[in-house]
Amino acid sequence: MSPSSWDVIVIGAGAAGLMCAAVAGSRGRRVLVLDHNDEPGRKILISGGGRCNFTNREVTPERFVSANPRFTTSALKRFGPTDFLDMMKRHRIAWHEREHGQLFCDDSAAQIVRMLQDECGAGGVGMRLSCRVGTISGDGPFRVETSHGPFDTAALVVATGGLSVPKVGASGFGHALARRYGLGVTELAPALVPLTFAEPDGAMMRDLAGIAVDAAVSFGKTRFREAVLFTHRGLSGPAILQISSYWRSGAAIAINLLPDLEALAWLVERKAARPNAMVETIVAELLPARLARARTEAAGLLGKPIGQTPNAALKTLAAGLNAWAPIPMGSEGYRTAEATRGGVDTADLSSKTMAAKAHPGLYFIGEAVDVTGWLGGFNFQWAWSSGWVAGQSL
Ligand SMILES: Cc1cc2nc3c(=O)[nH]c(=O)nc-3n(C[C@H](O)[C@H](O)[C@H](O)COP(=O)(O)OP(=O)(O)OC[C@H]3O[C@@H](n4cnc5c(N)ncnc54)[C@H](O)[C@@H]3O)c2cc1C
């Protein structure tokens, strides 16, 4: 079969790949998108509970985890949240803002996929779905062997995403290809993911499953103040998902269950005010009763009147309230992770174009790159921004 020839082939019809293809197509490039899934934008469709948290009001490089968060500056400046909102406006997609500046579709994530498909259609972009991509050779031009036959292309864009949720098509294709072309790939780990715990913490968390509290969760200097949810597997909720992107295996996270209160001073004050009350009853003034009981038990003070509890023991309890430091055993893994930490080393890419410095025709965009956004629409914004700048450069 003689290969058909293209200006640009984009591997991956996800958020970044569709944006890039649409932009390159609108600039007159002959673009072909390949994806092994049978429909484009599967992750967009399942995102944000079906409403796609497509960006955030507060997009800054600090909201990205990367060996070099500054790498994102140029792309985010050139195509930021308002640029994406302009595109949505042209397609008459209604949206609303939720807490922490998160923007969601009013109706459905499917509108975003349709918008990107329409933009691709306007640019004459070709699309091959259910297409397995095999060997890639050359260095501009590239030869791409696929289950739909071979294709030749002047430029190749890798937009195959991260490793999270293999069920919807995630694969390590982009990382493997980067390594083959001599680019670095930083250490990969599930991100935005619930954390799991060994016994006895695990058993205690299971007993508390369903309880959610407003807490501050830290790892090193990074701190998130949001809900923590106890589950049958450990801890989840936005604060835990956020900190999971920073957590390193073997280390403890710090949880402040009473972030607005200095617990020791408060316990000492309650000791004077209600000396006959049981310690767990006092703690339950501020925390759900089952959680109050569990933290009191962990301090060895269950069933003890607070008036007869030495302040040294209250100090231990206070530490377990203001600075509880459980050590996660691991995470729920790529099966449930919303993102992947790590990816193609940004040191090997141009931040202006997303092309590999050593291979000017080879581009990496979206989550395949070592750029992981916080929870709240940042990962999609990175996909739009990196896809747009690559599309402009092709
Ligand atoms: C459940 C869930 C909810 C999420 N919700 C949000 C949210 O609300 N807001 C937010 O900002 N982020 C969210 N994310 C993260 C966001 O979906 C991703 O960061 C984003 O989709 C990354 O875009 P991408 O184009 O790089 O990769 P993807 O969108 O994952 O696209 C990659 C594409 O490449 C294809 N592909 C992979 N391997 C191959 C291969 N070997 N051959 C051919 N094709 C291949 C895949 O089929 C896929 O179509 C969520 C993630 C999950 C899992």
Side-chain angles (χ1 to χ4, degrees), residues 11-17 35-37 43 46-48 53 133 159-161 165 169 171 173 337-338 366-367 377-380 383:
I11 307 179
D35 202 297
H36 59 185
N37 275 348
K43 264 195 198 165
I46 62 167
S47 69
N53 177 195
V133 180
T160 46
V165 195
S171 81
F173 182 92
E338 259 196 33
E367 206 185 308
F378 299 96
N379 281 304
F380 278 135

Side-chain angles (χ1 to χ4, degrees), residues 323-339:
W324 178 28
I327 300 177
M329 172 175 71
S331 78
E332 289 190 16
Y334 291 114
R335 190 180 55 82
T336 54
E338 259 196 33

Side-chain angles (χ1 to χ4, degrees), residues 73-382:
T73 307
S74 172
L76 296 174
K77 243 190 211 146
R78 289 172 63 206
F79 190 86
T82 51
D83 299 301
F84 193 74
L85 287 173
D86 286 346
M87 187 183 271
M88 288 179 64
K89 193 171 176 189
R90 280 196 277 113
H91 290 260
R92 296 197 173 79
I93 301 175
W95 54 271
H96 61 275
E97 182 168 346
R98 297 190 193 165
E99 57 180 358
H100 306 301
Q102 304 172 87
L103 307 188
F104 286 78
C105 295
D106 281 358
D107 295 333
S108 156
Q111 293 176 293
I112 301 280
V113 178
R114 212 172 306 124
M115 172 181 82
L116 294 167
Q117 281 182 289
D118 288 348
E119 291 276 324
C120 283
V125 172
M127 203 164 302
R128 297 289 184 106
L129 299 172
S130 304
C131 177
R132 269 181 296 105
V133 180
T135 312
I136 289 174
S137 53
D139 198 357
F142 298 88
R143 165 71 54 91
V144 182
E145 306 286 348
T146 79
S147 56
H148 291 217
F151 299 102
D152 283 338
T153 181
L156 183 66
V157 181
V158 183
T160 46
L163 299 174
S164 48
V165 195
K167 209 173 61 195
V168 295
S171 81
F173 182 92
H175 307 132
L177 189 72
R179 287 191 194 99
R180 264 218 305 113
Y181 276 83
L183 280 78
V185 175
T186 63
E187 193 189 339
L188 303 168
L192 300 180
V193 65
L195 297 173
T196 57
F197 294 81
E199 308 310 342
D201 286 333
M204 183 266 285
M205 289 166 184
R206 264 195 305 283
D207 286 346
L208 299 175
I211 291 178
V213 284
D214 168 37
V217 182
S218 332
F219 187 75
K221 290 197 176 111
T222 309
R223 178 181 189 267
F224 293 95
R225 169 87 186 257
E226 277 190 76
V228 167
L229 174 68
F230 291 84
T231 76
H232 289 284
R233 295 199 187 90
L235 294 177
S236 187
I240 295 296
L241 299 187
Q242 298 280 35
I243 215 69
S244 74
S245 301
Y246 291 86
W247 173 70
R248 292 295 190 274
S249 184
I253 57 172
I255 305 179
N256 187 344
L257 294 166
L258 296 172
D260 296 321
L261 195 81
E262 213 269 276
L264 181 58
W266 173 72
L267 287 167
V268 170
E269 183 268 308
R270 298 314 287 150
K271 178 174 163 176
R274 293 182 68 192
N276 295 328
M278 297 299 153
V279 175
E280 62 270 29
T281 309
I282 295 294
V283 179
E285 288 179 11
L286 292 178
L287 288 177
R290 279 191 292 151
L291 176 57
R293 202 179 151 81
R295 294 319 299 148
T296 307
E297 189 173 17
L301 297 175
L302 205 57
K304 302 220 162 97
I306 193 164
Q308 292 168 28
T309 306
N311 284 2
L314 291 183
K315 198 171 169 189
T316 305
L317 173 61
L321 296 170
N322 277 152
W324 178 28
I327 300 177
M329 172 175 71
S331 78
E332 289 190 16
Y334 291 114
R335 190 180 55 82
T336 54
E338 259 196 33
T340 300
R341 184 180 70 212
V344 178
D345 195 335
T346 57
D348 292 333
L349 301 175
S350 155
S351 62
K352 305 270 181 297
T353 66
M354 305 303 294
K357 286 177 181 166
H359 306 276
L362 180 61
Y363 293 71
F364 290 87
I365 58 175
E367 206 185 308
V369 178
D370 173 30
V371 171
T372 310
W374 284 7
L375 195 70
F378 299 96
N379 281 304
F380 278 135
Q381 186 56 53
W382 172 244

